[in-house]
Amino acid sequence: GPVDMKQKKVILRKKLRGILNKMTPEKFAKIAAQTMDIIKVFAENKEMMDIIIEVVLGFAIQIPVFGNQYAKLCQHLKAHLPKLRMVCEFQWILDDPDLSNTFRKIVITQTNDLFKSYRNHSPRDIDLDEDGKKIEDQEELDMKKSKLKNNFLAVMTLVAELYNAELVNAKVIFRGIFDALLPPSNKTLSSIDIEGLCRVFERCGKKLEEKESRGVDRYLQK
């Protein structure tokens, strides 16, 4: 019933976080295998799959230094999902003719949501707390500012690494990220926006150049 489902979601998040928390490049293969096991046990419907992807991408934001590992994990899951058909009895998995693509679409949607929720890194009311009171303590305000900035930069790193891992294409980078952050659509281009754009080029510029040099030139001229 619904109580079981609620309980399952709690257990799923807890178990998956416990696994992903240990991420290092050396442990990647083990963590990838354990994550697949989690999918086999818990991904009984698309909603549970959503949660699994949400937890993985959440770690990429929390621990951006391993952003490439979490993106690589998404790439691994996408490649291995079709094999689940042979060992899995979940109906939605058996009914889906292209699981890899379904997975990729969920990753893109969630990444877009993360970008939307973190792109406002310097809101006008940044100096107000949750109750709308002015933050008097300078240290607290600085921490809030740096957290918002770091979350924004972490999303930019994630998008670039997902491009490297071939989960998002250049169109997502150009239209979804660059167009949103550059004039004319962004009338108040800030130094943090520019830092975010640089972060994308640092992480995936080489691949973008090789594949999409015309697009890249167009943006560099801006």
Side-chain angles (χ1 to χ4, degrees), residues 4 8-9 21 48 57 63 68-69 81 84 95 102 122 125 133 140 145 149 175-176 196 199 203 205:
D4 297 345
K8 268 186 190 161
K9 287 177 187 171
N21 227 341
M48 294 300 258
L57 298 181
I63 315 173
N68 62 335
Q69 299 296 310
L81 277 175
L84 276 182
D95 290 345
T102 301
S122 310
D125 59 358
K133 293 196 178 73
E140 188 186 332
K145 282 182 177 172
K149 175 184 167 176
R175 289 193 193 155
R199 184 71 62 97
R203 291 291 179 123

Side-chain angles (χ1 to χ4, degrees), residues 25 62 65 158 202 205 216:
Q62 278 171 349
V65 56
L158 171 64
E202 263 165 38
V216 172

Side-chain angles (χ1 to χ4, degrees), residues 4-104:
D4 297 345
M5 207 57 201
K6 209 172 168 187
Q7 194 55 34
K8 268 186 190 161
K9 287 177 187 171
V10 172
I11 296 167
L12 163 61
R13 285 179 191 277
K14 199 175 168 184
K15 286 200 163 173
L16 187 52
R17 282 197 180 116
I19 292 167
L20 297 179
N21 227 341
K22 301 185 176 77
M23 179 66 87
T24 61
E26 299 75 40
K27 290 188 187 152
F28 179 82
K30 186 182 174 188
I31 284 170
Q34 288 175 326
T35 308
M36 276 306 292
D37 289 341
I38 286 273
I39 290 176
K40 275 178 218 159
V41 176
F42 285 96
E44 61 190 81
N45 53 39
K46 216 160 154 233
E47 193 188 356
M48 294 300 258
M49 194 60 166
D50 272 343
I51 291 174
I52 290 165
I53 295 172
E54 181 198 315
V55 174
V56 175
L57 298 181
F59 265 90
I61 304 296
Q62 278 171 349
I63 315 173
V65 56
F66 288 138
N68 62 335
Q69 299 296 310
Y70 293 113
K72 204 172 113 185
L73 177 60
C74 288
Q75 187 182 35
H76 176 93
L77 299 177
K78 177 178 170 267
H80 286 75
L81 277 175
K83 297 178 186 163
L84 276 182
R85 283 226 163 73
M86 305 182 236
V87 294
C88 189
E89 288 157 23
F90 298 143
Q91 200 55 47
W92 78 278
I93 285 178
L94 299 174
D95 290 345
D96 189 333
D98 194 350
L99 260 183
S100 291
N101 196 40
T102 301
F103 179 85
R104 204 182 72 111

